């Protein structure tokens, strides 16, 4: 492991443009969120470098559009095989640059492999439909059908929390559909994006089809969004930045996966012992830095006390510490600034009727898993996105009351409900104003082929490979006149 760790760290990184490494004059140090040590020197692009990357993608778009589906699938399948061989290296990169515990980093790599596998399969399934023109009087003697064509250059802007898999959710379907990509990874997690660019190069992707440009969002991100040669922007991140992208994008297509404060309802009659492990995972995996992390739990009065006791007990047993140790469950948040933000939110709860059931303090630079009860909906820990190992547990009298409180949010990504009552499950599926309702599991559930996205300030459009391919292609209608 030490040899692999040394290979991951202390490298001077370059941009990846037109199938090769490109040196820049300026670099910035990348530090481990856990240890504070310098991991690498990251190239900082200016607007000219971004324009070169966009130009390379623009020139390559014809090559990619003309590439047959089987060949695009072969390249993606090759990526899968390379990632399988280098899975431990990829997991180590995630753990080093984001402080994601290695157990969750390995799970992310496994999911990334699946995501590229799904992309390879979807490359062969991009189809249109025939239109019954003679259903209209004016359509007699005509035959029509639709095709789907690649949209062109896609600007992909990705977050730190799943630096391999959320890149895969943008790059995989883009390549499957015959597009080219300019990728701007999060400033804290550029190593994974540069790694995957080299993997695609080894897999035979044409030069210019995937370009990785590192640097600040105000320079790199804005240049991508504002470029006339970029046809679509796909972004995962905060609502504020997402709204700004949409305002600057003009007529470009945008897919925006934004914030959330996902909620879980626990109905009466649920076997609490059977759900504790899932709730722990949903609330505290990756330090709660998951878009669909459980942030709010509404437990029926009949099970509230039992759930709170067992949930709190389990949270206190989680090991915190070095992300590279196999049994670490919770490590450092992505930055000291984020830790300070969430601790200020926790302090805010102490001014009212809320009670701190566990956690709430920093230990060796790590925020301990935190559970708060009795928090009002106006508090930041309820109404904003915590993106931290913090969860609020409140008591409700019935499922309808819980649904009302879940919906009392400007977000609507995913929600979950545990219930043995079919009517309550059906009611929740109909009344919860979210992009997905997960019945008898936590809202943190996701497999990579399912449609994924939200309503309200949680964003627009859908990811999930088949659905992303639809977003990343344009429909064309062809009509034949036999008259």
């Amino acid at each position: 492991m030490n040899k692999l760790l040394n290979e991951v760290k202390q490298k001077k990184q370059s941009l990846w443009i037109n199938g090769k490494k490109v040196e820049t004059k300026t670099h910035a140090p990348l530090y481990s969120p856990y240890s504070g040590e310098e991991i690498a020197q990251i190239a900082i692009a200016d607007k000219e470098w971004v324009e070169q990357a966009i130009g390379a993608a623009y020139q390559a778009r014809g090559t990619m559009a003309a590439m047959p589906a089987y060949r695009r699938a072969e390249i993606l399948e090759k990526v899968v095989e390379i990632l399988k061989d280098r899975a431990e290296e990829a997991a180590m990169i995630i753990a080093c640059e984001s402080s994601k515990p290695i157990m969750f980093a390995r799970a992310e790599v496994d999911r990334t492999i699946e995501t590229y596998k799904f992309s390879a399969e979807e490359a062969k399934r991009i189809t249109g439909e025939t239109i019954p023109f003679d259903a209209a009087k004016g359509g007699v003697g005509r035959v029509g059908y639709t095709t789907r064509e690649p949209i062109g250059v896609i600007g992909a802007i990705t977050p730190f929390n799943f630096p391999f898999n959320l890149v895969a959710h943008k790059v995989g379907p883009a390549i499957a559909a015959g597009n080219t990509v300019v990728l701007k990874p999060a400033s804290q997690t550029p190593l994974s994006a540069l790694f995957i660019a080299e993997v695609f190069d080894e897999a035979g992707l044409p030069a210019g089809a995937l370009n990785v440009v590192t640097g600040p969002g105000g320079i790199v991100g804005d240049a991508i969004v504002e470029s006339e040669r970029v046809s679509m922007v796909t972004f995962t991140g905060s609502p504020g930045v997402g709204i700004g992208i949409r305002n600057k994008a003009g007529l470009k297509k945008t897919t925006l996966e934004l914030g959330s404060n996902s909620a879980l309802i626990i109905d009466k009659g649920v076997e609490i012992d059977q759900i504790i492990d899932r709730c722990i995972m949903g609330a505290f995996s990756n330090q709660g830095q998951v878009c669909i992390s459980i942030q709010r739990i509404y437990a029926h009065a009949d099970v509230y006390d039992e759930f709170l006791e067992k949930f709190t007990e389990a949270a206190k047993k989680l090991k915190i510490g070095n992300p590279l140790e196999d049994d670490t469950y919770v490590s450092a948040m992505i930055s000291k600034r984020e830790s300070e933000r969430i601790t200020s939110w926790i302090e805010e709860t102490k001014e009212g009727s809320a009670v701190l059931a566990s956690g709430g303090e920093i230990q060796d630079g790590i925020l301990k898993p935190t559970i708060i009860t009795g928090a009002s909906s106006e508090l930041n820990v309820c109404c904003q996105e915590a993106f931290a190992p913090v969860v609020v547990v409140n008591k409700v009298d019935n499922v309808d009351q819980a649904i009302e409180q879940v919906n009392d949010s400007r977000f609507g990504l995913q929600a979950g409900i545990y219930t043995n009552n079919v009517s309550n499950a059906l009611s929740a599926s109909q009344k919860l104003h979210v992009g997905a309702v997960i019945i008898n599991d936590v809202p943190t559930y996701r497999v990579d082929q399912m449609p994924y996205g939200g309503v309200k300030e949680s964003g627009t459009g859908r990811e999930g490979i088949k659905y992303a391919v639809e977003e990343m292609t344009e429909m064309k209608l062809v009509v034949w006149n036999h008259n």
Side-chain angles (χ1 to χ4, degrees), residues 378-392:
E378 294 81 16
L379 290 171
N380 281 313
V381 291
C382 282
C383 68
Q384 302 293 336
E385 181 176 35
F387 223 60
V390 175
V391 61
V392 171

Side-chain angles (χ1 to χ4, degrees), residues 69 80 99 123 208 210 231 327 379 466 478:
V80 168
S99 288
L210 173 59
S231 299
D327 57 347
L379 290 171
K466 172 181 181 291
V478 180

Side-chain angles (χ1 to χ4, degrees), residues 207-219:
L210 173 59
N211 307 272
V212 180
V213 189
T214 52
I219 295 174

Side-chain angles (χ1 to χ4, degrees), residues 15-20 22 49-50 52-60 153-156 171 175 180-185 193-194 197 200 205-214 224:
L15 308 179
W16 184 268
I17 298 175
N18 203 26
K20 61 185 178 181
V22 175
W49 284 121
V50 182
Q52 283 198 31
I54 294 170
Y58 193 77
Q59 289 297 317
V153 179
I154 292 177
V171 173
I175 300 303
T180 60
V181 182
V182 178
L183 169 63
K184 185 241 176 287
L194 294 166
F200 266 99
L205 188 69
L210 173 59
N211 307 272
V212 180
V213 189
T214 52
I224 291 171

